[in-house]
Amino acid sequence: MIAMSDQPFALEQMLNNWGIDKQRVHVILRDNATNMKKGMGDMGVWSLGCVAHSCQLCVHEGLLSQRSVTDTLANASKIVGHFKHSPLAYSRLEDIQMDLNMDIKRLQQDVQTRWNSSLYMLQSLLEQKRALSVFAAERALPATLTVSQWELMKKTADVLAPFEELDQGPIRRILSWEEDDDQGIKTMKRTLLEAEALC
């Protein structure tokens, strides 16, 4: 199996350079771009779209579908970025964690190309909410999270968590289930459900 995310025409040259006969290639794992699908078909090789890439596209679309979610993620990312770029701030946060008898843990920064990094960021912020509240009472942060944004972060993390396991059954059930407290994430859940059906 060859993972291929570059231009299709480069594949044939790569196979030639490595001395691999095209007939010996069982399957090529590729992203889901139309040019990649067409290129593999034109070459006459069997290829499959990457499940992780499909999941990335689905979740990314869902996260972008609701303004309240994107605004909350942007604020969360600014806060984490502040600690990533300031050793002094991180040192103070660790002191606060110790004072509160919490495990010393670093906040996780999200990366645009990896949807699960947004989940990890939300989870790390939620886990450190008490320490962050103490820090914010002492020092300024580049962004603040409102009470409703903290609630939205929890809801978003709960919706994204099953994607981490790539278990399609629970994902559909969670996304289909309408709850009274879905205020603020209804559009995101509907978009994720529609996109997941295409994965």
Side-chain angles (χ1 to χ4, degrees):
M1 180 171 62
I2 297 173
M4 190 63 196
S5 61
D6 206 347
Q7 297 297 325
F9 60 85
L11 174 63
E12 198 150 16
Q13 183 179 9
M14 183 179 69
L15 292 175
N16 290 336
N17 290 345
W18 289 352
I20 299 173
D21 183 357
K22 189 168 62 171
Q23 304 304 331
R24 295 183 61 208
V25 176
H26 297 287
V27 65
I28 295 174
L29 185 62
R30 57 163 168 72
D31 67 22
N32 297 307
T34 305
N35 66 328
M36 292 302 293
K37 292 177 186 177
K38 182 175 182 338
M40 299 303 111
D42 291 349
M43 277 186 59
V45 293
W46 191 48
S47 67
L48 292 173
C50 176
V51 173
H53 184 252
S54 297
C55 188
Q56 165 68 29
L57 296 175
C58 291
V59 173
H60 186 68
E61 183 178 342
L63 289 174
L64 294 178
S65 69
Q66 195 136 1
R67 179 71 185 267
S68 58
V69 174
T70 57
D71 290 348
T72 300
L73 286 172
N75 284 348
S77 188
K78 286 177 190 173
I79 291 169
V80 174
H82 173 72
F83 289 102
K84 288 287 184 191
H85 299 296
S86 173
L88 186 63
Y90 242 129
S91 176
R92 180 59 190 136
L93 184 63
E94 288 176 349
D95 291 342
I96 293 169
Q97 290 170 339
M98 284 191 290
D99 292 345
L100 295 173
N101 294 320
M102 297 174 71
D103 292 335
I104 306 297
K105 292 192 176 175
R106 296 184 77 75
L107 299 173
Q108 301 294 312
Q109 183 72 60
D110 63 338
V111 179
Q112 186 175 3
T113 56
R114 300 194 60 208
W115 75 265
N116 54 354
S117 68
S118 295
L119 171 63
Y120 301 151
M121 178 182 69
L122 295 176
Q123 290 172 334
S124 71
L125 285 166
L126 290 163
E127 186 177 24
Q128 297 302 321
K129 182 178 179 182
R130 283 190 318 144
L132 289 166
S133 296
V134 172
F135 184 95
E138 299 175 359
R139 300 173 182 185
L141 287 171
T144 57
L145 293 166
T146 65
V147 172
S148 63
Q149 285 179 318
W150 280 105
E151 291 173 7
L152 194 60
M153 283 173 42
K154 170 76 170 89
K155 291 177 189 178
T156 302
D158 289 346
V159 168
L160 293 180
F163 283 91
E164 179 69 5
E165 300 170 14
L166 291 177
D167 186 348
Q168 301 302 315
I171 289 173
R172 284 192 200 103
R173 191 167 51 252
I174 288 169
L175 295 176
S176 299
W177 195 296
E178 288 199 19
E179 297 185 17
D180 294 339
D181 67 338
D182 275 353
Q183 184 72 21
I185 62 168
K186 285 181 180 178
T187 302
M188 181 185 76
K189 283 178 72 173
R190 185 175 57 248
T191 304
L192 284 169
L193 183 61
E194 291 167 1
E196 189 275 333
L198 300 174
C199 291

